[in-house]
Amino acid sequence: MTAIPFVDLQAQHRALEPELSAAIAQVMTKCDFVLGRAVEEFEKEFAGFLGARYAVSVGNGLDALRLALQAAGVGPGDEVIVPANTYIATALAVSALGGRPVPADVEEKTFNLDPAKIEAAITRHTKALIPVHLYGQPCELDDVLDIALRHNLSLIEDACQAHGARYRGRCAGTFGLAGCFSFFPSKNLGACGDGGMVVSDNGQFAEQVRLLRNYGSKEKYKHIEKGTNTRLDTLQAAILRVKLRRLESWNAARLRHAQRYSGGLREIASVRLPEVAAGRTHIFHLYVVRVERRAELQKFLAERQIQTMIHYPVPIHLHRAYQELGFRRGAFPVAERLADEVLSLPMFAELADGQIDLVCDAIREFYRA
């Protein structure tokens, strides 16, 4: 069997090589490597793609979350509610500001933050709420927004896996005070390195993030805030401008792949397929199933040169880094079950139908044995 990678960036870049080379050459000619013209153009284009008024690029997705929280006024002693089932960056952004991430359990169906579990986690110290649009499916934004408004909480969307995903026709990342995106290479819109973006419809807020990303300065040597240095490289912005023009078609391809996977795996009782809630467009950054005997299945697939991954094997509250939160196993049962059962199958826009069929055949073979 020919190896099936989890993601194949070489396939993507081969198809774009002439355009990427031209974009890179233009930056090299101008030598505007830091906050160059391509950065400004990409910010405008990405905001336009999402339907947001402002976009401010930063060095990575974690910094997007951190600066958004800082601009929202989160600081030492403040609490921020996060899903128990997410990548640790969501919580680390809170910790970086001296705040306390407060996990809440997630929905069984979508794996996203469960609105019914949020209010019990709110205290007088709660300052913000970070729902995550996990794997590319928006969370239940109507209910989450309502809770944030009623409790006067800043809503910061972690849309790092949801570039172009939609909730009731509107792009994820445009509902709260801010939406935060990552351009890690394997994302649906990925750089050839790291990068991130904060989007907002609030001009004052966006300007604050813009200050914070660049030493707290609008004008060289005049510093308004105690900022930091987290800027998207001009080279990466130029590359992302090329890729942004393909994002809709890449997202559509991922949806077709997900549908083919689901058709091929539907009859396997030991495999629980991803569900898409009503009113949402899932962009399938990841195609994640819940399976029995996961470790054995993953080993079986690896022996057949099929690469899989687990997103995520440890819930936030069970990481050693967050033992001070004081939660034990059993505190968030849905997130814990997911951590024990989820398996991510190969997913990228250039994935061939035949490769998907081989993965499905191998999984059927495993459960027949």
Side-chain angles (χ1 to χ4, degrees):
M1 180 184 289
T2 303
I4 301 176
F6 184 73
V7 63
D8 187 354
L9 294 177
Q10 291 181 350
Q12 180 185 96
H13 293 155
R14 277 195 300 270
L16 299 176
E17 196 279 329
E19 289 179 79
L20 291 176
S21 294
I24 291 168
Q26 191 172 42
V27 176
M28 297 300 291
T29 298
K30 291 181 179 178
C31 293
D32 58 345
F33 300 120
V34 178
L35 295 181
R37 183 173 179 80
V39 173
E40 182 181 351
E41 292 301 316
F42 176 58
E43 289 174 344
K44 290 177 181 176
E45 290 163 2
F46 191 67
F49 172 81
L50 294 174
R53 292 185 65 190
Y54 306 99
V56 183
S57 59
V58 296
N60 54 69
L62 172 56
D63 280 348
L65 289 163
R66 177 172 62 88
L67 265 61
L69 288 168
Q70 187 175 354
V74 172
D78 290 331
E79 294 179 353
V80 179
I81 297 172
V82 303
N85 175 44
T86 185
Y87 185 54
I88 198 170
T90 312
L92 290 176
V94 181
S95 300
L97 298 172
R100 175 185 171 88
V102 177
D105 214 347
V106 297
E107 295 177 323
E108 196 89 38
K109 181 177 181 180
T110 67
F111 307 171
N112 281 324
L113 187 62
D114 187 345
K117 301 297 172 61
I118 294 174
E119 291 191 276
I122 295 173
T123 73
R124 62 187 179 88
H125 301 292
T126 308
K127 191 71 173 281
L129 174 60
I130 306 181
V132 178
H133 307 309
L134 197 69
Y135 307 151
Q137 176 169 203
C139 73
E140 181 49 69
L141 278 160
D142 284 345
D143 291 345
V144 172
L145 273 168
D146 178 66
I147 293 168
L149 287 170
R150 283 192 286 105
H151 292 274
N152 195 30
L153 304 177
S154 295
L155 182 66
I156 308 296
E157 295 174 69
D158 183 338
C160 288
Q161 300 181 4
H163 313 64
R166 288 176 170 81
Y167 181 87
R168 304 196 189 285
R170 182 173 160 190
C171 280
T174 65
F175 288 79
L177 175 61
C180 300
F181 293 83
S182 164
F183 302 122
F184 187 77
S186 61
K187 297 298 171 79
N188 292 37
L189 180 62
C192 294
D194 236 327
M197 190 77 82
V198 180
V199 302
S200 181
D201 285 339
N202 185 312
Q204 185 177 354
F205 174 87
E207 185 59 28
Q208 182 72 357
V209 174
R210 201 175 298 278
L211 281 173
L212 291 171
R213 74 162 179 192
N214 189 38
Y215 299 103
S217 173
K218 277 187 188 178
E219 185 181 347
K220 196 172 180 69
Y221 301 130
K222 295 184 179 179
H223 302 274
I224 302 169
E225 299 278 356
K226 295 182 180 71
T228 188
N229 173 14
T230 175
R231 304 172 296 208
L232 180 68
D233 290 339
T234 307
L235 281 167
Q236 298 299 345
I239 289 165
L240 287 162
R241 291 187 70 200
V242 172
K243 292 188 173 188
L244 180 59
R245 295 193 286 270
R246 272 79 174 183
L247 181 55
E248 287 281 23
S249 63
W250 287 342
N251 285 348
R254 286 172 178 264
L255 176 57
R256 291 193 299 272
H257 299 336
Q259 291 169 340
R260 192 174 188 93
Y261 266 130
S262 294
L265 299 172
R266 185 163 287 117
E267 303 306 320
I268 305 175
S270 298
V271 177
R272 184 169 172 178
L273 303 177
E275 299 182 50
V276 182
R280 302 177 215 191
T281 301
H282 198 322
I283 61 165
F284 287 98
H285 168 58
L286 298 170
Y287 183 87
V288 181
V289 292
R290 296 172 67 176
V291 298
E292 298 175 5
R293 298 160 54 203
R294 182 177 66 190
E296 296 173 57
L297 173 61
Q298 194 170 30
K299 180 175 182 291
F300 181 87
L301 294 174
E303 289 169 350
R304 284 146 184 80
Q305 300 183 70
I306 297 171
Q307 186 181 17
T308 60
M309 296 186 71
I310 299 171
H311 298 86
Y312 298 97
V314 183
I316 294 296
H317 64 292
L318 296 181
H319 281 286
R320 182 176 176 183
Y322 280 112
Q323 59 185 351
E324 80 274 6
L325 295 180
F327 295 106
R328 297 179 180 274
R329 180 170 287 278
F332 305 103
V334 178
E336 292 168 21
R337 280 198 299 275
L338 294 175
D340 292 339
E341 297 173 5
V342 293
L343 184 68
S344 301
L345 303 182
M347 175 57 79
F348 48 96
E350 298 77 14
L351 193 63
D353 287 350
Q355 291 175 305
I356 295 171
D357 294 342
L358 286 171
V359 175
C360 294
D361 289 344
I363 294 173
R364 280 195 296 270
E365 181 184 349
F366 173 80
Y367 284 112
R368 280 199 303 266

